[in-house]
Amino acid sequence: MENKLRLAEYKVLLYRLFLGYLFYFIARVLFFAFNTHLFAVDSFWALLKLCYYGMAFDTTALLYTNSLFILLSVLPLTINTQPKFQKGMAILYFVTNLLAYATNFVDVIYYRFSQVRSTKATLDVLADENNKKLLFTHFSEAYWYVILLFILCSFCWIWLYKQVKVKPAKVTDKKVYFLSSVVSFLLILALVIGGIRGDFAHSTRPINMVDAYKHVTVPNQGDIVLNTPFAIFRTLHSNNFKLQHWTDEEYISTNIKPIKQYSTQPASKPNVVIIILESMAREYWGSMNRDVSIPGFKSYTPFLDSLSNSSLIFTNAYATGRQSIHAMSSVLAGIPSFQNAFTSSPYAKQKIQSVVSICDSMGYQTSFFHGAANGSMGFQGFGSILGYKHYYGRTEYNNDKDFDGIWGIWDEHFFQFMGRTLTRQKQPFMATLFTLSSHDPYQLPEKYKERFKGGPLAIDKCVQYTDNSLRIFFNYAKTQPWFQNTIFVITADHTSQTYYPEYSKQVNRFAVPILFYSANSAYKLKGVRTDLASQMDIYPTVVDLIGYNKPFRSWGRSLISNLPTETPRIINSIGNIYQLMEGNYTYLFDGKNITGIFAVTDKGLDKNLATGQLNPEMQRGEMDCKAFIQDYADRIVNRKLAAN
């Protein structure tokens, strides 16, 4: 009777699915073990609790991955138990499962850089890389131990799979076989649908990434609850640019002020050079930490520290994203990236008002410099959308003896290349340089290996190298006729490795430096500012400095205007949770509700104040968060990223 009802087959199917849960649990523990310093998990039982909550997300990922395998396992094909069929099923099972499973191991390492589970946006960034084979070879060599762990887990999974087999059985009563199979199929189908959705209630939406955060008090612990296959599956066809309507246009115009206008009138049009430093977090800069009490703090930026003494610096500044392409849109066009990058969305190809387009309208020569292979990171494509007239990459540099072997031309050489190129250009010019040497695998040119010893982090020595490259560039620039009337803006694209506990705190995982320098004292770019500043503020600040007096679209504010009507504001996202810093509070918003309110000084987001009645400032902050996101989606979806 058991053969007729196929009970033995269903038991084996359950066992095979159970193996998926077991190895996802192992991957989750490894993910935590390699990134322990980033999570405030204070006990083994707390970790087990997070793993328990993660089972719901594992269920969805496993059912997505094994949907075809489950279907073929339960269909009444009469040959289901035959050895050849089972061999084919085993191949299907491991091809699909191990491919998905491998993404968990990618995040074991990549998470320390991205601080978020990999999603479709991560795949989009990878798709823009031209040297995928070289990168794969490097990362395979650098992180061989993670690949070894994956292989060991895979072999164990395969071994355990083989220990329980479906025994060959002939179908003796086809009527019972087919009827029972149909009943079982419908029951299993219902269970699969419920498992993929997360529950069986029609009134609720399918489980999503944001649901992981309802189980935790420290937001980034939601990334332990999640798994990477789930994050990728759930974002493959997601649209984070959904139109909302929480408030009216008058409120947005008054409080968010997406349309700005300034009246500065410089004596002449200054040149502008924007330098975006790869991974050069605020943590590494001495000048950005002079008033921060960090025991044993060490700076790795002696040149930038000295330059800061003659610059306007912002020591409380933050990035709006976690990847390089996010920074490009934020710094140059004031467009932040949340769950998905705007630059890889279907809406990126539209008319975008930016510092590039405004400089172009004022007669500037505009150039973008990046020493990697042309097209890398999507910079060339997005630069074209923004309107850069010239793009200089590894192709234009045309000398691979200065190639670092992985990413592109060493920073020192490419800085000098930019300097020589600018000297040949007609003024005024606006140039942007995106560096690359302070990036994993954190290597140095041979001649500097003894000079730059770095510190406890692998990136420290590369920070020293890039800082020295800046010193050499500025020494050259000072000798050029364009230097005296040039405004330099220096920031970082995002953060990277952390050493000091202060910078492992949730809010400070976005902590970047912002510096404005000019040898021309007329621009008054000197001093230390501790008010909130964002990458989004760079674009309107430059527009203000160069004397553009027409209305323009910007969600940031001019950092030199000090207008009381412009509110200092930071907005970014932790996974699928928006994070807004404004006034005295930091707000967490899941797209529907405020899930946390914290004192702005509570960088670790330890004490949630969103209990009971919200005070007037909290209510205002909640509405400002909603209004910002509403206007953001409206302007992107309805293609209103210009002033009109």
Side-chain angles (χ1 to χ4, degrees):
M1 191 63 179
E2 183 174 301
N3 287 339
K4 292 179 182 179
L5 298 178
R6 304 179 66 190
L7 297 182
E9 294 178 55
Y10 300 143
K11 289 177 183 178
V12 175
L13 175 61
L14 287 174
Y15 171 76
R16 290 168 175 173
L17 292 176
F18 163 76
L19 291 180
Y21 284 101
L22 173 63
F23 284 95
Y24 271 52
F25 168 76
I26 293 171
R28 182 173 282 110
V29 172
L30 289 171
F31 171 77
F32 171 74
F34 278 86
N35 298 283
T36 305
H37 65 291
L38 299 176
F39 302 108
V41 178
D42 52 13
S43 70
F44 176 71
W45 295 112
L47 175 61
L48 286 182
K49 188 177 180 181
L50 294 173
C51 291
Y52 169 75
Y53 290 132
M55 289 180 66
F57 300 89
D58 294 349
T59 298
T60 299
L62 287 167
L63 291 177
Y64 267 132
T65 305
N66 291 282
S67 55
L68 179 58
F69 178 82
I70 294 170
L71 177 65
L72 292 174
S73 295
V74 300
L75 282 176
L77 302 176
T78 70
I79 60 170
N80 302 63
T81 64
Q82 299 306 306
K84 288 184 178 180
F85 183 86
Q86 284 298 311
K87 184 177 180 180
M89 291 289 284
I91 294 172
L92 171 64
Y93 178 86
F94 283 112
V95 168
T96 53
N97 276 290
L98 294 184
L99 183 62
Y101 191 54
T103 63
N104 283 314
F105 286 80
V106 171
D107 271 351
V108 165
I109 296 300
Y110 187 59
Y111 184 82
R112 66 186 64 171
F113 305 107
S114 68
Q115 298 290 292
V116 66
R117 285 281 188 174
S118 294
T119 63
K120 179 182 178 293
T122 310
L123 301 180
D124 291 335
V125 171
L126 179 62
D128 287 325
E129 283 299 334
N130 294 334
N131 57 339
K132 298 181 184 67
K133 184 177 180 180
L134 188 61
L135 291 175
F136 177 78
T137 301
H138 156 65
F139 285 110
S140 297
E141 294 173 352
Y143 302 110
W144 60 268
Y145 49 91
V146 176
I147 296 176
L148 179 60
L149 286 171
F150 169 69
I151 292 173
L152 288 173
C153 287
S154 299
F155 272 113
C156 289
W157 195 342
I158 293 170
W159 184 83
L160 288 171
Y161 180 96
K162 290 181 177 180
Q163 300 313 298
V164 179
K165 299 179 180 180
V166 174
K167 296 179 181 179
K170 291 184 178 181
V171 177
T172 56
D173 190 332
K174 290 188 177 182
K175 183 176 181 181
V176 174
Y177 176 84
F178 280 105
L179 285 176
S180 64
S181 295
V182 170
V183 172
S184 299
F185 175 80
L186 294 175
L187 177 61
I188 292 171
L189 178 62
L191 291 172
V192 168
I193 292 173
I196 289 176
R197 286 181 51 84
D199 62 30
F200 295 93
H202 291 289
S203 58
T204 58
R205 57 163 173 73
I207 188 173
N208 212 324
M209 289 179 66
V210 72
D211 293 302
Y213 300 92
K214 70 183 181 183
H215 298 299
V216 301
T217 54
V218 179
N220 71 340
Q221 289 180 357
D223 291 320
I224 301 176
V225 177
L226 289 168
N227 63 73
T228 306
F230 177 91
I232 293 174
F233 282 131
R234 276 293 191 252
T235 56
L236 281 176
H237 303 290
S238 64
N239 176 15
N240 293 113
F241 304 98
K242 296 178 181 178
L243 295 176
Q244 306 284 359
H245 187 78
W246 289 300
T247 187
D248 55 31
E249 290 299 319
E250 182 179 355
Y251 185 94
I252 292 172
S253 177
T254 302
N255 296 281
I256 305 303
K257 294 186 178 299
I259 304 300
K260 305 286 195 299
Q261 186 171 10
Y262 302 114
S263 56
T264 305
Q265 294 181 339
S268 61
K269 296 177 184 177
N271 303 307
V272 177
V273 176
I274 299 174
I275 301 173
I276 305 174
L277 301 173
E278 171 65 49
S279 302
M280 195 80 83
R282 199 197 317 153
E283 176 175 359
Y284 316 134
W285 290 43
S287 58
M288 297 288 165
N289 290 278
R290 287 169 181 163
D291 297 323
V292 182
S293 298
I294 299 178
F297 179 85
K298 181 180 178 181
S299 172
Y300 298 96
T301 56
F303 170 73
L304 287 168
D305 293 344
S306 65
L307 186 67
S308 296
N309 296 330
S310 304
S311 304
L312 176 62
I313 66 172
F314 293 82
T315 61
N316 195 23
Y318 298 87
T320 59
R322 298 196 185 276
Q323 295 177 334
S324 299
I325 193 65
H326 299 175
M328 188 174 176
S329 63
S330 294
V331 172
L332 301 174
I335 303 173
S337 287
F338 300 124
Q339 297 92 327
N340 287 348
F342 161 73
T343 49
S344 59
S345 75
Y347 305 105
K349 186 65 177 75
Q350 59 176 289
K351 184 178 180 181
I352 300 172
Q353 196 166 32
S354 67
V355 65
V356 185
S357 66
I358 287 176
C359 283
D360 182 63
S361 71
M362 296 177 68
Y364 278 71
Q365 294 289 316
T366 56
S367 306
F368 189 89
F369 294 81
H370 186 228
N374 291 40
S376 178
M377 306 296 291
F379 290 161
Q380 188 171 20
F382 190 60
S384 178
I385 291 172
L386 292 181
Y388 279 103
K389 292 296 185 288
H390 307 284
Y391 183 92
Y392 298 94
R394 181 177 161 194
T395 299
E396 287 71 24
Y397 186 82
N398 196 29
N399 186 357
D400 269 359
K401 75 179 182 65
D402 298 325
F403 177 50
D404 66 10
I406 297 290
W407 289 107
I409 306 303
W410 293 108
D411 282 351
E412 176 185 353
H413 301 292
F414 208 72
F415 265 118
Q416 294 178 58
F417 169 69
M418 179 179 73
R420 294 191 300 269
T421 303
L422 294 181
T423 297
R424 294 193 298 268
Q425 286 189 353
K426 179 183 177 182
Q427 299 184 58
F429 55 73
M430 192 287 285
T432 302
L433 171 67
F434 212 120
T435 70
L436 52 73
S437 292
S438 47
H439 195 296
D440 188 284
Y442 307 123
Q443 57 188 7
L444 296 175
E446 193 65 36
K447 69 176 182 178
Y448 287 116
K449 287 183 178 179
E450 291 301 317
R451 178 175 174 182
F452 300 128
K453 295 297 186 180
L457 299 176
I459 195 175
D460 292 339
K461 62 181 182 293
C462 296
V463 171
Q464 291 175 318
Y465 166 72
T466 297
D467 177 77
N468 186 65
S469 300
L470 274 162
R471 180 185 64 81
I472 295 171
F473 166 72
F474 269 84
N475 285 342
Y476 169 82
K478 288 175 184 177
T479 66
Q480 302 307 304
W482 48 265
F483 179 77
Q484 186 65 26
N485 195 38
T486 299
I487 294 171
F488 296 89
V489 186
I490 303 177
T491 188
D493 56 347
H494 52 69
T495 61
S496 184
Q497 297 177 316
T498 62
Y499 176 70
Y500 301 108
E502 178 66 22
Y503 284 99
S504 291
K505 294 178 179 178
Q506 184 64 56
V507 171
N508 280 343
R509 294 303 300 136
F510 292 91
V512 296
I514 294 179
L515 176 152
F516 290 85
Y517 169 81
S518 179
N520 190 338
S521 60
Y523 298 115
K524 300 179 181 179
L525 297 174
K526 191 171 182 179
V528 179
R529 294 265 296 274
T530 60
D531 47 321
L532 287 175
S534 166
Q535 286 175 333
M536 290 192 302
D537 299 330
I538 292 174
Y539 155 43
T541 304
V542 171
V543 169
D544 194 1
L545 283 166
I546 65 177
Y548 184 78
N549 301 143
K550 299 177 183 179
F552 67 101
R553 189 274 319 156
S554 169
W555 287 301
R557 66 186 178 103
S558 170
L559 296 171
I560 63 166
S561 70
N562 293 319
L563 293 175
T565 54
E566 292 191 327
T567 303
R569 180 182 293 124
I570 310 294
I571 190 163
N572 42 45
S573 69
I574 312 167
N576 273 38
I577 303 294
Y578 297 98
Q579 180 175 271
L580 171 75
M581 298 172 67
E582 180 179 295
N584 293 307
Y585 301 102
T586 297
Y587 304 84
L588 300 184
F589 180 60
D590 67 4
K592 292 186 177 180
N593 302 298
I594 292 291
T595 59
I597 301 177
F598 306 84
V600 75
T601 55
D602 182 4
K603 305 298 186 184
L605 305 183
D606 297 317
K607 187 177 181 181
N608 194 342
L609 305 176
T611 57
Q613 184 67 32
L614 303 184
N615 66 39
E617 183 182 350
M618 291 177 176
Q619 294 175 7
R620 165 73 179 274
E622 177 180 6
M623 183 51 67
D624 283 356
C625 183
K626 292 179 177 179
F628 188 105
I629 295 165
Q630 177 178 320
D631 190 60
Y632 173 82
D634 174 48
R635 290 184 178 277
I636 288 175
V637 173
N638 292 316
R639 303 181 181 277
K640 298 189 294 185
L641 290 176
N644 300 312

